[in-house]
Amino acid sequence: MSKSHSNSSRRKKQSNNYLTRLKSVQWTPYVIFHSLYKVLANLAIITLISGLLLFTLLGGFGVGYFAALVKDEPVPSEKELKSILYSMNQSSTVYFATGESLGSLNADTQRTVVKFNQVSPHVVDALVSTEDENFYQHNGIVPKAFLRASAQEFLGSASSSGGSTLTQQLVKNQLLSNETSFERKAKEMLLSFRVEKTLTKQQILEAYLNVVSFGRNTNGQNIAGIEAAAEGVFGVKAKDLNIAQSAYLAGMPQNPYTYTPFLITGQVKDDKALQYGFERQKYVLQRMKDEKKITDKEYQEALKFDLKKSFADSVNVPAKEYPFLTKEIEKRAIDILKYELAKKDKLSKQQLDETPILNEKYNAMADEEIRNNGYSIQTTINKPIYDKMNEIKSNDNYYSYARPAEVDGKTVNLQQEVGVVLKENQSGKIIAFVGGRDYEESQNNHVTQTRRSPGSTMKPLVAYAPAIEYGITTPETMLLDRRFKVGEYSPENYARAEFGNVTTRIALMNSFNLSTLRLYSDIQDRRPWEFLEKMHINIPESQQPNLSLPLGATDMTLEDNVNGFSTFANKGKYQESYMIESIKNNKGKVIYKHKAAAEPVFSEATSYIMTDMLRGVLDTGSAYELKGTFQFNQDWAGKTGTAENGTDSLFVAYNPKVTLGIWMGYDKLIPFDEENHYQLKLWRDINNSITAIDPEQMGVNQTFSQPASVQKTKICQITNSPSDSCSKGEPTKDSLVWKNTDLSNKTLDDPKVLGRLGIKLDDKTRSKINPKETIADEYAKLREQNKKTKEQLKAEKEALEAAQQPFAQ
């Protein structure tokens, strides 16, 4: 206790001494200044040391924390980095065969990648001035931004700082997610350093300008990349943007859907909503002026420029302008690409076709690829011809009236539809087509999707050509056009008359049913539908045995039908029709190219003999209305077709160069006034119009020449025997024949003769053969013979009525 008291006394004594000295100090201005200086100097040293310690602490924390966050982040190689940065969704583009761009296919986002030198310098100046004025000086990040972000993270700030460089924005878009965490920010900075070391400033800008979103275009579609923005907003190329337009677009990436001038419908926003984008543009122009990228005069002129007036009215979108063509190309491109993708995975076409799950998987993959990976698709479509065909079909005068039908439980009026397709015979190219009258009314492609009865266009393919190929008949050999009945089936001719003895040529030209079916019955057991299979026209097994198959008792597309007739034009060789010539990836590498491969079906001799007969269809046959209506010298051969109940009408014709086919009907099986031959009139006018565009493509002045394998010789018309061995009274005539033609000696009772004339259908066939009866071989003779037949039938009817008269009394 005494020690404590002693210490207290000492402190008190010292304090009294200090107060005594303080009172004795002379407080002159010098003393006051000197005292304050020493105090402040000591405080400054203490503060500086403390600040340095704190800065070192924070810096160490920031660097350490940064290192901890990115320690597991893999550093991509230079090659990988470039690949990722330049990898972006890009719309696939379709091109006509004639070189014009059809436009970009539908995609989630419309984008066209361009090179740096394809962008207006004003865009670059506007972007750098607004988003990153130190772009050309920094190495990917601005250090103060990093320290600021570190401090905010350390202090738990509720808000995070922005100010990312263009390099960081590119990295965020292409390499990272959009989460707002400091870990993502740290990775962004690390990768930005890497990008700056890998790419030049120009390459970074090029990638950025192709990546960022610019809202919507004038069609309401999402757009990304400066080229799609320039075309979608102003209707110009990126290289042609002026200062005002450049500033407007450069301001968009900050908030694209606020600043974009278009609604999702494609309509221009109201003036109040547009003002946000206009104000943003003014800010960008001010920044460009401040950074001395534009002069005061250019600044004032840009402010006066009428942006709204310069907005594009529309963008060339194939789905809008060419809906049938777009959908067909998309479908075919996906079908091609799915097999290419499967091939990479070492899967065969057969495996894909036989495994529905695999097929669905690769179909989805191909669909995604085509829409978003920037393929270039070269088609076979001739734009001028395509446009002209579709212009002509739009005339309502070619069609019958709309008719009521039940669709989804409701009664609606359906307009008559049409499908037209033009194919180049030797190559298989589809030059042009008409998918339908109005895509809004019906999305069915009536060339490739609508499967309907081919009517009598089936007769040459499955009855007459096989019979010529087998050697059973010749153009001048007789067929018997008489009624018969098989069970409950009793067919009729279109005219509800029978024409007796006719040549094969006349029966085909005039599309007689009775004589055709009698001929067909003789070859049914040889499976003539296998010729159809060789032309990739597959008939269901249940329909193959049908006697009525030559009359169209099956369904097929118009494209199938045209493929069949073009086989005759191509000297008996089937050439697959196609619309896609090649597909390139976004690097310009050809990943698919169509390879034509002709497949033999009929002999050249059979094809020429069929052509020689089918020429007459357009002369005095079922398409006689076309005679004398052609404006150019074309060697056409063809065949009409009508479905049994008048629900479908067709005409398919070919010349040495092309095959042109047409189908008309309704989307429901509705009978119509097909006797007006709407299809012939439209076919005629389409042919004349497109031939005027490209005479060479349409086969002007080209003719079919008779091959050496075909000769003309005199035959006995009923027995199909050499002319020196005819039955008594049997007529003879010169006819085209070939080596397979059976010209063996035969009598009227020969099974080969009776088989051709229909003994399998009508056991009274032999009694109906009269060698002395005229065989009709031309239209006038046929008409006269038919007249006599009608008079004879009338006389027989009157005689029968007279005989029954007494009983009536």
Side-chain angles (χ1 to χ4, degrees), residues 377-565:
I377 304 170
Q378 185 70 45
T379 75
T380 62
I381 302 299
N382 182 304
K383 185 177 186 297
I385 291 179
Y386 186 94
D387 288 344
K388 177 57 70 174
M389 284 174 63
N390 282 272
E391 174 191 330
I392 294 171
K393 63 87 182 176
S394 297
N395 188 333
D396 293 339
N397 293 327
Y398 289 112
Y399 306 93
S400 188
Y401 57 84
R403 298 169 192 262
E406 187 172 310
V407 179
D408 298 330
K410 297 180 181 178
T411 300
V412 297
N413 283 327
L414 293 180
Q415 66 178 15
Q416 190 179 31
E417 284 294 346
V418 66
V420 186
V421 61
L422 176 68
K423 175 187 175 182
E424 188 174 80
N425 300 319
Q426 191 171 10
S427 67
K429 294 177 182 178
I430 292 180
I431 306 300
F433 70 91
V434 172
R437 287 178 69 183
D438 184 349
Y439 190 79
E440 295 297 323
E441 290 285 332
S442 174
Q443 288 77 51
N444 288 334
N445 186 323
H446 299 91
V447 170
T448 64
Q449 294 176 319
T450 299
R451 301 182 63 84
R452 297 291 274 271
S453 168
S456 292
T457 60
M458 185 64 92
K459 289 174 182 174
L461 302 176
V462 78
Y464 287 91
I468 296 290
E469 188 77 9
Y470 298 146
I472 287 174
T473 191
T474 77
E476 312 311 329
T477 301
M478 186 193 109
L479 298 180
L480 185 62
D481 198 71
R482 293 293 185 192
R483 290 186 178 91
F484 61 86
K485 186 174 182 179
V486 180
E488 297 300 316
Y489 183 53
S490 53
E492 287 274 10
N493 284 322
Y494 182 81
R496 300 293 187 266
E498 51 185 354
F499 298 97
N501 297 351
V502 296
T503 62
T504 300
R505 183 189 299 276
I506 283 292
L508 176 57
M509 283 169 49
N510 292 277
S511 201
F512 295 156
N513 295 336
L514 300 176
S515 45
T516 298
L517 294 180
R518 283 177 177 267
L519 172 65
Y520 184 68
S521 69
D522 192 34
I523 63 173
Q524 256 186 304
D525 59 352
R526 300 198 192 191
R527 302 175 61 85
W529 51 83
E530 290 180 353
F531 285 104
L532 298 177
E533 292 173 355
K534 289 180 181 180
M535 296 182 283
H536 298 209
I537 303 172
N538 297 314
I539 305 299
E541 287 187 16
S542 61
Q543 296 174 357
Q544 291 173 358
N546 291 347
L547 176 64
S548 56
L549 185 59
L551 307 187
T554 189
D555 291 332
M556 58 196 289
T557 67
L558 179 61
E559 183 181 2
D560 289 336
N561 212 330
V562 164
N563 281 338
F565 279 83

Side-chain angles (χ1 to χ4, degrees), residues 616-773:
V617 172
L618 292 81
D619 186 10
T620 60
S622 55
Y624 70 90
E625 292 182 349
L626 296 176
K627 185 176 182 179
T629 65
F630 299 122
Q631 297 174 4
F632 301 87
N633 179 29
Q634 293 167 291
D635 190 5
W636 287 111
K639 185 69 185 73
T640 56
T642 304
E644 183 180 5
N645 296 318
T647 55
D648 307 86
S649 63
L650 305 97
F651 181 60
V652 183
Y654 60 92
N655 63 40
K657 188 73 174 180
V658 295
T659 300
L660 178 62
I662 185 171
W663 166 90
M664 293 184 77
Y666 292 81
D667 281 338
K668 294 286 185 178
L669 292 172
I670 302 173
F672 62 94
D673 49 331
E674 45 77 27
E675 66 275 5
N676 285 319
H677 302 302
Y678 298 106
Q679 89 279 23
L680 294 181
K681 297 168 186 174
L682 182 51
W683 186 97
R684 173 200 65 202
D685 290 350
I686 284 177
N687 171 57
N688 283 333
S689 297
I690 63 179
T691 302
I693 293 174
D694 195 339
E696 183 179 355
Q697 177 66 78
M698 293 302 294
V700 171
N701 296 326
Q702 298 184 40
T703 58
F704 291 104
S705 57
Q706 182 174 318
S709 56
V710 176
Q711 288 111 27
K712 183 170 281 191
T713 188
K714 192 177 289 293
I715 64 165
C716 304
Q717 288 184 271
I718 301 176
T719 60
N720 206 40
S721 304
S723 59
D724 59 359
S725 61
C726 298
S727 298
K728 187 177 180 180
E730 183 180 359
T732 62
K733 189 171 184 180
D734 287 337
S735 183
L736 296 176
V737 299
W738 72 299
K739 67 176 184 178
N740 275 21
T741 305
D742 181 6
L743 293 177
S744 61
N745 294 335
K746 295 177 281 292
T747 66
L748 296 178
D749 295 313
D750 193 299
K752 293 179 180 179
V753 175
L754 296 177
R756 168 171 37 86
L757 299 179
I759 190 69
K760 294 179 182 178
L761 304 176
D762 178 9
D763 56 11
K764 295 183 175 61
T765 295
R766 176 64 184 87
S767 65
K768 296 176 182 178
I769 302 172
N770 182 0
K772 295 181 181 180
E773 187 175 324

Side-chain angles (χ1 to χ4, degrees), residues 63 112 167-168 230 245 299 327 573 616 692 738 749 758 808:
V63 172
T112 301
T167 311
Q168 288 175 272
Q245 294 168 332
Y299 171 74
K327 291 299 179 184
K573 296 178 181 178
W738 72 299
D749 295 313

